[in-house]
Amino acid sequence: MSENLQRSAEARAVSVVELAQELIRRPSRAGIDDYGPVLTVLEDWLAARDLPHRRLHDDKDTLVGLLVEIPGGYPGPWWALDACMDTAPYGDESAWSFPPDSGDIVDGWLRGRGASDSKLAAAMFCHIAADLVPRAADLRGGLAVLLDVDEHTGGFGGARAYLADEAAARPAGVMIGYPGLDDIVVGGRGLWRACLAVHAPSGHSGSSKTVVGAISRAAHLVRLLDAANLPGIDGSSGFPLPPKLSVTSFHGGQGFSVTPDRCDLNIDVRTTPGFGAHDAESLVRKAVAELDAELPAPTPTEVTPIAAWPPFRLAEGEQPAAALLNAAAEAGLTVRAKTAGPSNIGNLLAGEGIPATAGFGVPYEGLHGIDERAHLAELPTVYAAYQRAVLDLLGAPANSSATCNGS
């Protein structure tokens, strides 16, 4: 990697951290906080640097994200950087050793909710966009920076609004700023999710008549699902992970004296190329049929599919994975291409035919837990790697360097 890029990244790191601190100090917990304040910080920063940007809304006119667009001077594909601005909740604040919205730096760690996922990445991507502006006329295609405020809900409303926006150029690929220095995530298991409603006659717990209640039937269904025969790793596909089924929610009844007539379950199945959404649904419906045959009830068990995302996995030579892997190596990092177990926004993009990487950033601790923090010593190197990858994708010469346009 050129010395100019490295020096530029080191100079930008201070400004990146300052912006990230301001973002962390504006709570933006998904479904809890108003996203206006945290987006206003970004909008003021972007406006001061004359970076074109606009808010994104869903079909109900709900604010779901912010989009920055830097067009190049020559035709070519557009690429996108993506970081979420909403965060996980704080959880038990009394368990934190510092305020979740502190945004301070202690012993080289940036502390607070969103430090690792993903406000530091958002600040970094905005700076990379700013770096491109002075030389945009020499580049091909364009760069979009998507800042999603509907990510931790699982709705991915910002990404959906971006892809549905007729005014936005459809990206040829996306790099998502999840943290972690050792891996570039190039794949992930998909998912199939459903809600199950298990029925039974209601009754009084003290009645002389024995009734197999909905909770008992649902418990039997859980046992059937836990015992379901899922395939292992499919060596022929090259996908390194097996499918997985989890019962993630179980609700029914209240009080003590009534056996309920309904119990609701949430089922989450992580899918692979060899075991997709159709296979997941068939497996769950088979277990439901066994339940209704073994413990009949007047009303059959209902299966309501909720979501289905495909698995994805990029080859190491496929863009944008290749550009980011090469740039990380040029920056002196030893990273591996990884397929992740958890699903992520890359699955949504895969369903749209858009390749994505879903993780490369600074080391971190406490993601989605207590005492979330991000290590800053590696920030200049990570910044330089993303900057080099973007320039490569936009057709910049190998010896080029991006200039700063204000911090």
Side-chain angles (χ1 to χ4, degrees), residues 22-226:
E22 291 303 309
L23 298 176
I24 292 168
R25 290 166 182 158
R26 273 70 171 182
S28 53
R29 293 164 291 177
I32 297 174
D33 297 310
D34 176 13
Y35 303 131
V38 72
L39 289 181
T40 296
V41 170
L42 280 178
E43 288 172 316
D44 290 346
W45 190 94
L46 294 166
R49 290 151 183 83
D50 295 323
L51 288 174
H53 62 279
R54 53 195 168 90
R55 290 191 172 192
L56 296 173
H57 296 82
D58 64 14
D59 54 8
K60 297 181 180 178
D61 204 34
T62 301
L63 176 63
V64 290
L66 186 68
L67 184 65
V68 183
E69 295 169 302
I70 309 297
Y74 296 91
W78 277 68
W79 303 89
L81 299 171
D82 172 40
C84 59
M85 292 300 301
D86 63 334
T87 72
Y90 295 154
D92 181 6
E93 293 187 48
S94 66
W96 287 63
S97 62
F98 51 84
D101 60 352
S102 62
D104 60 359
I105 300 171
V106 175
D107 297 329
W109 291 86
L110 174 62
R111 308 194 307 177
R113 179 62 86 224
S116 57
D117 185 13
S118 295
K119 292 181 176 181
L120 184 62
M124 179 173 66
F125 290 167
C126 286
H127 279 77
I128 289 174
D131 287 342
L132 286 183
V133 170
R135 58 165 307 124
D138 298 326
L139 302 177
R140 299 182 182 279
L143 177 71
V145 178
L146 172 64
L147 304 163
D148 195 336
V149 292
D150 189 33
E151 196 265 7
H152 281 84
T153 63
F156 299 148
R160 294 180 190 277
Y162 169 40
L163 298 178
D165 191 335
E166 295 181 356
R170 191 172 184 86
V174 178
M175 292 181 284
I176 305 165
Y178 297 138
L181 192 65
D182 297 329
D183 307 303
I184 292 177
V185 176
V186 299
R189 284 187 292 204
L191 61 79
W192 179 83
R193 290 174 175 163
C195 296
L196 276 55
V198 180
H199 302 278
S202 62
H204 195 288
S205 59
S207 172
S208 59
K209 181 180 179 181
T210 300
V211 174
V212 181
I215 289 176
S216 296
R217 295 187 77 241
H220 186 66
L221 177 56
V222 171
R223 289 191 290 271
L224 291 171
L225 291 168
D226 285 344

Side-chain angles (χ1 to χ4, degrees), residues 197-201 212-214 217 260-263 292 295-302:
V198 180
H199 302 278
V212 181
R217 295 187 77 241
D261 59 3
R262 176 171 172 147
C263 187
D292 289 346
L295 297 175
T299 303
T301 301
E302 302 169 35

Side-chain angles (χ1 to χ4, degrees), residues 334-352:
T334 301
V335 298
R336 60 172 182 159
K338 177 184 178 181
T339 299
S343 303
N344 54 63
I345 199 169
N347 298 94
L348 172 68
L349 295 167
E352 295 283 338

